[in-house]
Amino acid sequence: MAEWVNAQVKEVKNWTDALFSLRVQAPIDRFTAGQFAKLALEIDGERVQRAYSYVNAPSDPLLEFYLVTVPEGKLSPHLFALRPGDQLMITKEAAGFFVLDEVPECKTLWMLATGTAIGPYLSILQEGEGLDRFDNIVLVHAARYAADLSFLPLMQQLQQTYNGKLHIQTVVSREEIAGSLNGRVPALIESGELERAVGLTLDAETSHVMLCGNPQMVRDTQQLLKDTRGMRKHLKRKPGHMTSEHYW
């Protein structure tokens, strides 16, 4: 049974009409970068809860979550309405195995995300622990519009921090934007366009792929990499090349 603690909203950042960040303070247990917590509110006498990944590094005292408002959703519109000083509930202990300890040895680590699923990668990169063993890290954020690339400035800042090890690439599906690829992630891998853009090869010999976000993107990319690159899902008892986290 999860233990819940109270959290106080310290900051709300409205990125777009639908995308927002909550920064809260709460007495949680230390988590591992890449994990998630559950947030909850009492609504009409019922505790409504959903899982959200931490965006912040575990060493940051302010906890950050990146969310999208679903108009017909039971929880997200209420979270969207929160303001500094308001209270919500959070699970004291984090959960999830989308962490670096679960990633086997490789030369290039590919971090592929759609939408708000960029969060766990930002947590991992901001913490910075356990990344020395990779020669290259590729962070790909796919969104519908350029305005949805909320954390691009942070991604660019991290790129400078990692001195050439971190390669970032944005993907926008519904408009043409300079510097961003256009289309869906699986198609960009299939055509070789993603690899040409970052200047690295995605193969079973050198690469491990972390996939987080839209379940269709995750499924399609896994199937493509299996069929065309000879890659398989990573399991503790049978090491592989792909680790995934579905985001709903």
Side-chain angles (χ1 to χ4, degrees), residues 142-146 171-176 181-184:
R144 293 176 300 170
Y145 299 101
V171 177
V172 177
S173 61
R174 298 191 183 180
E175 58 183 344
E176 297 276 353
L181 298 178
N182 179 257
R184 295 186 67 239

Side-chain angles (χ1 to χ4, degrees), residues 20-242:
F20 66 105
S21 287
L22 286 178
R23 300 190 80 195
V24 307
Q25 204 164 40
I28 63 163
D29 294 338
R30 186 175 174 87
F31 66 94
T32 301
Q35 290 190 303
F36 63 87
K38 289 182 179 178
L39 303 182
L41 289 170
E42 290 285 343
I43 302 170
D44 297 327
E46 174 190 0
R47 179 184 289 167
V48 182
Q49 63 187 51
R50 296 288 183 272
Y52 298 102
S53 291
Y54 288 101
V55 175
N56 60 289
S59 55
D60 191 334
L62 279 184
L63 315 175
E64 182 168 4
F65 301 93
Y66 183 40
L67 302 88
V68 60
T69 309
V70 180
E72 66 277 12
K74 290 185 69 176
L75 181 60
S76 62
H78 297 274
L79 293 175
F80 185 70
L82 293 174
R83 293 295 175 261
D86 289 343
Q87 300 276 327
L88 67 157
M89 290 172 284
I90 184 172
T91 46
K92 186 175 183 182
E93 186 176 351
F97 298 97
F98 198 67
V99 297
L100 287 183
D101 285 350
E102 298 293 322
V103 174
E105 295 300 320
C106 66
K107 289 185 176 180
T108 302
L109 177 63
W110 295 76
M111 298 175 161
L112 310 184
T114 59
T116 56
I118 190 71
Y121 299 132
L122 296 176
S123 180
I124 290 168
L125 290 166
Q126 288 182 96
E127 186 69 358
E129 294 183 1
L131 294 170
D132 290 345
R133 61 189 173 105
F134 308 112
D135 293 340
N136 293 285
I137 304 164
V138 181
L139 177 62
V140 177
H141 189 198
R144 293 176 300 170
Y145 299 101
D148 299 332
L149 300 170
S150 311
F151 288 95
L152 181 56
L154 175 58
M155 291 165 62
Q156 293 169 334
Q157 180 184 328
L158 287 166
Q159 187 176 34
Q160 292 182 341
T161 301
Y162 280 90
N163 295 320
K165 174 180 281 197
L166 176 63
H167 309 258
I168 64 171
Q169 182 60 56
T170 55
V171 177
V172 177
S173 61
R174 298 191 183 180
E175 58 183 344
E176 297 276 353
I177 296 294
S180 291
L181 298 178
N182 179 257
R184 295 186 67 239
V185 169
L188 294 169
I189 295 173
E190 187 172 23
S191 68
E193 195 172 350
L194 178 59
E195 290 161 282
R196 287 193 294 272
V198 300
L200 292 165
T201 301
L202 200 173
D203 59 31
E205 287 72 38
T206 64
S207 305
H208 190 89
V209 182
M210 298 179 77
L211 295 151
C212 190
N214 184 304
Q216 193 64 54
M217 182 279 289
V218 173
R219 286 192 294 268
D220 290 350
T221 303
Q222 285 177 329
Q223 192 63 50
L224 173 71
L225 293 175
K226 178 183 176 183
D227 293 343
T228 66
R229 311 294 171 99
M231 302 177 90
R232 62 178 180 269
K233 290 183 182 180
H234 176 66
L235 303 170
K236 278 192 174 181
R237 64 182 181 278
K238 188 177 181 182
H241 318 94
M242 298 181 286

